[in-house]
Amino acid sequence: MAPSAQHPPHGQSQHGQDQHGQTQDRRSHGASRSAEHVHGTEHSHGDESGMADMLDLDAEVLASQLAKVIDWAGQLGSGTPGRIADVGAGTGTGSLALARRFAEAEIVALDVSPGMLERLVASSIEQGLAERMSTVQADLDAAWPEAGRFDLVWAASSLHHFAEVDRVLRDILTALNPGGLFVAVEMDGFPRVLPDDLGFGRPGLETRLHDVIARRGWNAHPDWQVNLASAGFEMIERRVFTADLNPAPPITGRYAHAFLSRVRTGLTDELAADDLAALDRLLVVDGPDSVLQRGDLTVRSSRTAWAARRATERPTA
């Protein structure tokens, strides 16, 4: 989510290279979903507040998609969860949605960023959910915290950030009660919002942006089924959740502006001059072609979710 964070194929070195070929270590992001899943860039550059805004906009625009995934998780569970952990909670959009869906559950939000967790706490107070919400600041690549057992562990757009994901999965398995459910969610690609023909520039701008993003490896992740089985989980189901919002929610213009602004910064060296010019027209706040003014935006999104459980322990003879 601005210099890019490239995620190496699973099983390779957890050190990637930025666009200048310099080695990066992403392990400091181990417990945070913070904004890389929204725009593929590191959050070590002092713009965490902007990333937090991006997370909140993403959740608001795609609230119906998030609700479907959480409802699905509720149907797969062995009962109403009493304790839920949100792994890499970020600003808490997932934590808060889980708290609303499971009205009796205690929610524990885990994240490496104190700033993100402070924002989560403020939102939980505003929404009247603070009594059931607690936070734990932790780098899960370093160690799993002492936080008790859970009936449901949720990891939305966070699993691919871990340097030692298989060890983190084993920690999650241990933290689950017997029969407990683990749900991982990843974006299949960044949401698309623009029409193919903008009325200026070459048609297909958004497709070209996404092609560059894919080459950069932003948000890259494997199919987690193999990792879940290796960690000792019993796989339940893998499902794809799509959203096609037309017309788009009114807030989509702000969402598109935030996303495209970061793409404009992060991909400057890889975009053609005419595409950069088109992006600039889209980003002029009060311009007639601005995404903030357009009435032809849609939202097309796809996310994959994996559900697995910890086997019920049998008493020994």
Side-chain angles (χ1 to χ4, degrees), residues 256-299:
H257 193 276
F259 175 71
L260 293 173
S261 294
R262 295 183 178 276
V263 168
R264 175 64 173 84
T265 301
L267 301 182
T268 297
D269 295 340
E270 295 190 44
L271 297 177
D274 61 334
D275 283 343
L276 290 172
L279 269 176
D280 288 341
R281 289 180 68 169
L282 290 169
L283 293 172
V284 175
V285 171
D286 56 355
D289 298 317
S290 171
V291 288
L292 296 170
Q293 312 297 331
R294 300 183 70 100
D296 58 355
L297 302 181
T298 61
V299 181

Side-chain angles (χ1 to χ4, degrees), residues 42-270:
E42 298 282 7
H43 68 259
S44 58
H45 301 277
D47 63 341
E48 189 174 83
S49 176
M51 296 176 189
D53 291 341
M54 191 71 221
L55 284 173
D56 288 345
L57 286 167
D58 179 75
E60 186 169 351
V61 169
L62 291 163
S64 60
Q65 187 181 53
L66 175 61
K68 289 178 181 178
V69 181
I70 291 177
D71 283 344
W72 170 74
Q75 294 164 13
L76 293 176
S78 57
T80 303
R83 298 190 81 233
I84 300 173
D86 185 2
V87 173
T91 60
T93 55
S95 301
L96 297 167
L98 289 161
R100 290 190 294 270
R101 171 62 174 79
F102 302 107
E104 303 299 322
E106 174 193 353
I107 314 295
V108 180
L110 309 172
D111 201 278
V112 72
S113 167
M116 292 284 183
L117 293 176
E118 288 173 7
R119 187 158 175 154
L120 188 161
V121 170
S123 296
S124 70
I125 293 171
E126 181 181 330
Q127 297 183 31
L129 298 169
E131 289 186 359
R132 293 191 290 116
M133 190 76 60
S134 60
T135 62
V136 177
Q137 183 188 352
D139 180 353
L140 300 187
D141 265 324
W144 186 267
E146 291 293 333
R149 289 286 195 96
F150 299 96
D151 304 303
L152 169 63
V153 174
W154 171 270
S157 295
S158 60
L159 203 57
H160 68 270
H161 292 288
F162 294 110
E164 299 184 51
V165 65
D166 292 320
R167 200 222 76 224
V168 173
L169 285 173
R170 292 193 296 271
D171 288 344
I172 290 172
L173 182 70
T174 301
L176 280 169
N177 286 316
L181 184 70
F182 173 61
V183 174
V185 187
E186 299 281 8
M187 296 175 70
D188 299 326
F190 295 98
R192 294 175 180 254
V193 297
L194 300 175
D196 186 67
D197 188 348
L198 295 168
F200 57 88
R202 283 183 292 150
L205 171 64
E206 191 168 48
T207 295
R208 291 191 294 279
L209 297 179
H210 282 255
D211 287 345
V212 176
I213 287 170
R215 290 199 299 272
R216 284 284 186 91
W218 292 1
N219 203 61
H221 58 82
D223 183 338
W224 292 118
Q225 292 185 92
V226 172
N227 304 81
L228 289 166
S230 178
F233 284 94
E234 290 184 353
M235 190 67 199
I236 301 174
E237 186 176 350
R238 175 183 179 272
R239 180 175 292 191
V240 176
F241 293 83
T242 60
D244 190 348
L245 309 179
N246 187 9
I251 200 172
T252 301
R254 286 177 54 200
Y255 178 58
H257 193 276
F259 175 71
L260 293 173
S261 294
R262 295 183 178 276
V263 168
R264 175 64 173 84
T265 301
L267 301 182
T268 297
D269 295 340
E270 295 190 44

